[in-house]
Amino acid sequence: MTIGFYTSTFNDRPLEEVVDFAASAGFDAIEIDVGGHIKAPDRVEDAVSLARSRGLFVSSITYFGNQLDADRERRRELRAGTSEFASAIGQAGVPIFVIFPGRDDTASDEANYDDFADFANGLLAETQASGLTFAIENWPGPGDNFIGTTPKGWQELFRRIEDRRFGLEFDPSHLIRIGVDPYRALEAVKDRIAILHAKDTAIDKEALQALGYHGKGWWHYKLPGLGLLDWPRFLRQARGHGFAGTLSIEHEDASYGWPGKDLAARRQGARLGLDYLKSVLNGL
């Protein structure tokens, strides 16, 4: 497995500075955020070339947005941009394009799954020549209701999208905070994992007791190794199923400068995550 990080942690810094840091810190790979560091499809090639010039493998490019936006014009614009980015990413030779399914609150679950699957199948057909893989991250969204972010949701999508070029950016931290066993969840989708997000979650049991599941402040995203996930077990499980891709650290740990606070603390957090994951992989 290679170890990288998702550049969204440093969206306030220019990409050249970010890739310089990644290379000097000893990372193997980088996952580039469109919104923070690419902006437009015609800038994909330059961004990828910059990272590669520092000896970094560009594991993926990630494009944030609700692909099922209830506003049809916003949905149309996002999907048109997604298609353009997919073409540019495929031409640049980046293997994975990460998107978010989202949800249309005005439509039924069935309609949401059907609509997104139709769109995804279209993207797969458009990019057949490049062989680009599409992955969705299982972030539940700001309202905790995005489709395709739970074991049942994944199966709803996979029975509609049979092409194995469509899979998951599997993030165990989101599963922990919504009460889903990440090990069982991984087992059920072992052949659909495109990339792993390396992020953890801590739960304050006293705060949970006081506030309940619908309260705020009882869970926190943490760097790998500082939360509840058993990383040796998790990575041994992933490796056992043949996963040899990228562990992409998504640093959203408020104890280390996130979001957008002390830069030195954010860099320290990224380094700590790298050191921890290296130690786990070396011990497997």
Side-chain angles (χ1 to χ4, degrees):
M1 298 182 196
T2 57
I3 303 174
F5 66 80
Y6 179 27
T7 66
S8 63
T9 306
F10 303 103
N11 271 354
D12 60 331
R13 311 305 303 169
L15 183 59
E16 184 170 10
E17 179 183 308
V18 177
V19 297
D20 283 345
F21 163 71
S24 65
F27 283 93
D28 308 303
I30 199 159
E31 174 182 3
I32 306 177
D33 182 63
V34 164
H37 291 119
I38 298 181
K39 308 294 187 184
D42 62 3
R43 296 176 62 180
V44 167
E45 183 62 46
D46 286 346
V48 172
S49 295
L50 178 63
R52 289 173 176 163
S53 74
R54 303 307 195 266
L56 297 169
F57 170 61
V58 181
S59 62
S60 48
I61 290 176
T62 297
Y63 190 29
F64 184 82
N66 180 353
Q67 298 285 350
L68 290 165
D69 198 311
D71 184 312
R72 293 307 175 108
E73 180 58 24
R74 286 203 301 262
R75 185 191 303 190
R76 186 198 66 77
E77 291 177 356
L78 177 64
R79 290 187 175 187
T82 301
S83 180
E84 292 176 7
F85 272 110
S87 176
I89 292 165
Q91 289 176 16
V94 175
I96 301 168
F97 185 20
V98 180
I99 59 177
F100 299 80
R103 172 183 285 276
D104 177 358
D105 285 325
T106 69
S108 67
D109 274 4
E110 191 80 5
N112 271 285
Y113 280 102
D114 287 345
D115 191 302
F116 181 74
D118 286 345
F119 174 60
N121 282 321
L123 289 173
L124 289 161
E126 291 173 11
T127 56
Q128 189 169 12
S130 69
L132 181 65
T133 289
F134 293 85
I136 57 168
E137 185 190 344
N138 55 293
W139 176 53
D144 287 339
N145 67 343
F146 276 12
I147 68 163
T149 56
T150 63
K152 183 178 186 299
W154 298 332
Q155 296 310 321
E156 290 291 331
L157 283 180
F158 293 157
R159 70 181 180 86
R160 291 169 168 87
I161 309 170
E162 296 182 357
D163 194 323
R164 295 306 174 95
R165 287 168 47 223
F166 178 86
L168 300 176
E169 181 171 58
F170 190 100
D171 187 329
S173 70
H174 301 308
L175 299 174
I176 291 170
R177 76 169 180 86
I178 64 172
V180 174
D181 183 327
Y183 316 105
R184 286 181 58 189
L186 181 68
E187 193 71 24
V189 291
K190 58 192 176 186
D191 58 343
R192 289 280 198 152
I193 306 299
I195 185 170
L196 291 175
H197 252 181
K199 186 161 96 261
D200 215 329
T201 295
I203 292 176
D204 183 332
K205 292 184 178 180
E206 290 302 315
L208 177 57
Q209 173 64 25
L211 300 167
Y213 287 118
H214 298 296
K216 295 180 179 180
W218 57 268
W219 63 269
H220 303 279
Y221 290 135
K222 304 297 291 183
L223 289 161
L226 299 181
L228 295 173
L229 193 73
D230 183 338
W231 286 92
R233 174 185 175 184
F234 181 71
L235 295 181
R236 188 177 295 111
Q237 179 185 5
R239 178 179 280 181
H241 294 313
F243 180 80
T246 299
L247 298 172
S248 182
I249 297 171
E250 184 179 26
H251 174 5
E252 293 184 349
D253 191 328
S255 297
Y256 291 90
W258 184 86
K261 296 178 182 176
D262 185 74
L263 179 60
R266 279 181 280 159
R267 287 175 173 169
Q268 180 189 11
R271 291 190 189 98
L272 288 173
L274 173 62
D275 290 345
Y276 177 75
L277 292 174
K278 279 185 174 179
S279 70
V280 172
L281 290 175
N282 288 337
L284 295 183

